[in-house]
Amino acid sequence: MTRFVFNTAATLDGYLADRDHSLSWLFEVDGGTPDAPEHADHFSAFLEGIGVTVLGSSTYEWLLRETGALKDPAAWTSAISTKPAFLFTSRDLPTPPGADLTVVSGDVTRHLDAIRDRAGDRDVWVMGGGDLVGQFADAGALDEIQISVAPVTLGAGQPLLPRRLGADRLHLTSVEQRGQFAHLTYRVGG
Ligand SMILES: NC(=O)c1ccc[n+]([C@@H]2O[C@H](COP(=O)([O-])OP(=O)(O)OC[C@H]3O[C@@H](n4cnc5c(N)ncnc54)[C@H](OP(=O)(O)O)[C@@H]3O)[C@@H](O)[C@H]2O)c1
């Protein structure tokens, strides 16, 4: 059965990016990229299980900026794979030629069937940002959270998950050290 999984790196004080939407703090950590030896096999296995990626527009714009995918469509597939993605935005944003990208907006519950359909028997990667993940949690469509906690604090930035999810909903299922990162996995209930 398709599960909705939030998998991300975050700072120790719970941010996905700094105030300027930069991830420089992450890339400064030893092993701070998904292809680093301490993450590569885990990340490949995770991606293998994913049928669809869901992302919000800031995350999307960051990916476009970092990869140059509008000019080099191959950069999009290497960043996000050839699998379909759903972009949540209320704006008319440019898309990389040939990308399997469905642009949607509004209440996430209206899009869950289409997202599940495209995922087939695989999982959905809810990439972020945090509020979009919260919208999936509000809709009862968040099954797992995987966080690689970096040894960094920022004091301010884009929040990891700006919702109240109590201990009745979050159950810690695994803790692993991956180099400088603590990889935490939670089952989300309720
Ligand atoms: N550390 C990591 O591994 C990691 C992972 C993920 C993201 N990030 C970073 O974290 C930051 C997250 O930024 P963010 O908090 O602004 O989140 P975001 O989800 O990437 O973008 C938020 C924007 O998405 C659009 N949106 C969200 N929900 C929508 C809905 N239901 N319908 C229509 N549009 C919707 C809205 O913009 P518009 O409607 O105006 O387009 C909203 O302002 C980014 O800088 C990203 O690069 C880091």
Side-chain angles (χ1 to χ4, degrees):
M1 202 178 78
T2 295
R3 300 174 316 138
F4 289 78
V5 182
F6 178 31
N7 184 337
T8 193
T11 66
L12 183 58
D13 56 345
Y15 295 105
L16 293 178
D18 73 13
R19 279 190 171 128
D20 302 320
H21 290 273
S22 168
L23 294 186
S24 56
W25 57 269
L26 177 58
F27 301 134
E28 283 162 15
V29 181
D30 206 13
T33 56
D35 59 354
E38 52 269 64
H39 307 294
D41 289 350
H42 299 289
F43 194 59
S44 301
F46 172 73
L47 286 183
E48 186 53 39
I50 294 301
V52 166
T53 302
V54 169
L55 70 172
S57 63
S58 303
T59 303
Y60 174 69
E61 289 180 299
W62 181 88
L63 275 169
L64 290 185
R65 278 196 307 277
E66 286 297 306
T67 63
L70 289 180
K71 290 194 180 125
D72 172 14
W76 175 256
T77 46
S78 62
I80 208 157
S81 92
T82 53
K83 293 171 188 168
F86 281 71
L87 165 63
F88 278 83
T89 183
S90 58
R91 291 174 291 147
D92 187 14
L93 293 173
T95 55
D100 187 345
L101 189 65
T102 304
V103 180
V104 291
S105 72
D107 190 342
V108 301
T109 54
R110 288 200 285 115
H111 304 294
L112 291 177
D113 286 348
I115 293 169
R116 282 197 190 94
D117 256 20
R118 294 301 308 278
D121 55 5
R122 290 195 156 107
D123 290 339
V124 176
W125 180 13
V126 189
M127 187 183 263
D131 184 70
L132 183 62
V133 177
Q135 294 174 49
F136 278 81
D138 295 343
L142 186 64
D143 299 293
E144 189 171 272
I145 299 173
Q146 294 191 32
I147 309 172
S148 277
V149 181
V152 176
T153 64
L154 289 173
Q158 315 305 324
L160 172 67
L161 213 180
R163 289 295 189 282
R164 182 165 180 148
L165 296 180
D168 55 331
R169 292 197 60 190
L170 293 180
H171 182 78
L172 180 67
T173 56
S174 135
V175 176
E176 288 169 59
Q177 181 169 358
R178 297 184 184 171
Q180 283 301 299
F181 291 79
H183 191 82
L184 311 176
T185 303
Y186 296 87
R187 189 174 67 239
V188 183

